[in-house]
Amino acid sequence: MKVKRTLVVAAIALFAAVFSLSGISYAADAAYDGPKYKLSLGHVIADKTPLDMGARHFADLVSEKSGGKITVNVYSNSALGDNRSMIESLQRGTLDFCLPAVANLAAFTSSTKLFDLPFLFNNNKHAETVLDGEIGQNILKALGDKGLVGLSWWVQGWRELSTKNKPVHHPGDMSGQKIRVQDNEIHIAFWDELGASSTTMAYSELFTALQQGVVDAQENPVSNIKLSGFGEVQGYIIKTDHIYDPVPLIISKKTWEKLDPAAQAIIQEAAVEAGRYERDFCYKYDEDILKEYEAAGKVTVIYLTDDEKAEFRKAVQPVYDKYADEIGKDVIAKVQELGK
């Protein structure tokens, strides 16, 4: 899938921004003659999903660019722990890379809370403009104070709503719906604002909860809905696009500082290239899944109109009012301006 973007300039800006953390300048296109490194990357997502394929593409790029002297071993499916435990491992220097959900990263830095605001982005281009521009790069740089180095922005897809037996077109349609949400105060706040009854639970418990009617609805990227079999116990998938779910590729600052400049340059360049690859893979992957659901006819896919999305944006405005000071009114305004 071809997606227009202006990432050449953004990639250069990202490269410069991250390398400013250690005052390093190095051309990654030179033949690598530095030391060998064996590094590990963990994530919680299933094999062969966009994030997993992106991680493996990143590992291949690093190996290729270093002539096989730098290897990155990828561990999927929470093999190295959940998001929080992996972030803590990065801080200790016992794990090198991870791809954490920003909702979990919010426990370590408030800078990522911006991305928890509902209906913040209009489309892929709007989101990428923010992530690859000044705002997104400043958020990556802010991770340096937490023992982490942000390399590039990837994506897990748009978070979409699914319900058992109720079509949703308007905010009022969520009234009384019992919905499982992530353990994140902003997520809870905006679903409650729509009149839903929010509850948090482990992702591993969600399928059974939907099957047994403990909750009526849930929200996740389309890939998660498919791979976890939620379509078997849900009648509707509503393409709300309520959150663009960015995922940063981060490296332990302790690991980063142990790498020689040439290795750092290779890893940074590969991170940006793999991020572009992963985003395109994700967009196409999600489109294909929705087409499969539509073709099978067992799940009804609802695409909200622009006017319907505008209703939702208006309905969740109190959430913006509540968190604007903490996140930064000026930052929110800049994001909205970039979407015009």
Side-chain angles (χ1 to χ4, degrees):
M1 176 181 176
K2 294 182 179 179
V3 180
K4 293 182 179 179
R5 53 167 62 87
T6 57
L7 277 180
V8 174
V9 174
I12 295 171
L14 170 59
F15 190 92
V18 176
F19 271 61
S20 68
L21 289 171
S22 53
I24 292 168
S25 177
Y26 193 93
D29 57 358
Y32 180 70
D33 61 357
K36 293 183 178 180
Y37 298 99
K38 290 185 178 180
L39 307 171
S40 297
L41 186 159
H43 66 77
V44 302
I45 310 302
D47 293 342
K48 297 185 178 179
T49 53
L51 273 182
D52 183 60
M53 296 300 288
R56 297 182 192 281
H57 186 61
F58 169 70
D60 289 343
L61 287 171
V62 170
S63 179
E64 177 187 330
K65 292 174 184 293
S66 66
K69 296 182 76 173
I70 305 175
T71 58
V72 179
N73 295 313
V74 177
Y75 298 87
S76 58
N77 258 322
S78 302
L80 301 182
D82 60 17
N83 279 313
R84 185 181 184 92
S85 64
M86 284 193 289
I87 295 169
E88 291 171 346
S89 293
L90 260 65
Q91 291 178 317
R92 293 192 298 268
T94 56
L95 176 62
D96 302 305
F97 300 94
C98 75
L99 286 158
V102 290
N104 297 108
L105 201 57
F108 298 83
T109 174
S110 62
S111 63
T112 59
K113 287 187 175 182
L114 170 70
F115 302 130
D116 291 319
L117 290 172
F119 303 99
L120 179 68
F121 297 121
N122 300 331
N123 47 45
N124 293 334
K125 181 180 178 181
H126 181 198
E128 291 187 348
T129 299
V130 173
L131 291 169
D132 297 326
E134 180 183 3
I135 294 172
Q137 300 318 304
N138 284 342
I139 290 173
L140 288 180
K141 286 195 292 183
L143 299 176
D145 294 335
K146 304 299 179 181
L148 311 168
V149 175
L151 297 173
S152 61
W153 287 108
W154 300 15
V155 67
Q156 197 176 348
W158 291 90
R159 298 189 75 86
E160 314 292 8
L161 171 69
S162 74
T163 63
K164 182 177 182 179
N165 52 23
K166 187 171 184 179
V168 173
H169 289 273
H170 310 284
D173 295 335
M174 286 303 299
S175 180
Q177 287 282 293
K178 294 177 292 184
I179 182 171
R180 180 267 181 185
V181 301
Q182 289 182 295
D183 188 9
N184 177 289
E185 61 177 331
I186 299 179
H187 289 218
I188 294 169
F190 83 74
W191 287 110
D192 287 349
E193 194 66 41
L194 297 178
S197 176
S198 300
T199 185
T200 61
M201 66 178 66
Y203 185 78
S204 59
E205 300 172 2
L206 180 52
F207 180 87
T208 301
L210 292 168
Q211 187 178 47
Q212 296 179 350
V214 176
V215 291
D216 309 307
Q218 66 82 48
E219 53 85 47
N220 258 292
V222 171
S223 57
N224 287 0
I225 294 174
K226 170 70 174 180
L227 292 167
S228 295
F230 297 154
E232 299 173 19
V233 289
Q234 298 275 268
Y236 295 90
I237 295 174
I238 301 91
K239 200 169 188 307
T240 49
D241 294 346
H242 55 273
I243 286 181
Y244 181 96
D245 208 359
V247 179
L249 174 61
I250 59 178
I251 184 172
S252 164
K253 194 171 184 180
K254 290 185 177 180
T255 298
W256 182 257
E257 291 173 347
K258 291 177 183 177
L259 299 174
D260 76 314
Q264 289 179 331
I266 285 170
I267 288 169
Q268 178 62 74
E269 185 179 273
V272 174
E273 288 184 28
R276 292 196 294 265
Y277 166 89
E278 190 274 341
R279 290 179 196 171
D280 286 349
F281 191 106
C282 183
Y283 301 151
K284 180 65 164 58
Y285 188 83
D286 285 359
E287 283 184 1
D288 289 346
I289 289 174
L290 290 174
K291 288 177 182 177
E292 287 178 18
Y293 276 124
E294 290 178 298
K298 295 181 179 180
V299 178
T300 300
V301 180
I302 296 173
Y303 294 84
L304 295 186
T305 66
D306 290 343
D307 287 343
E308 288 169 344
K309 285 185 180 180
E311 289 183 42
F312 278 92
R313 285 194 178 91
K314 183 177 180 180
V316 299
Q317 184 58 47
V319 178
Y320 279 70
D321 297 338
K322 180 177 180 179
Y323 292 97
D325 289 337
E326 181 180 356
I327 294 172
K329 293 180 180 179
D330 57 332
V331 173
I332 296 172
K334 286 179 182 178
V335 171
Q336 293 172 333
E337 183 63 29
L338 287 169
K340 294 180 179 178

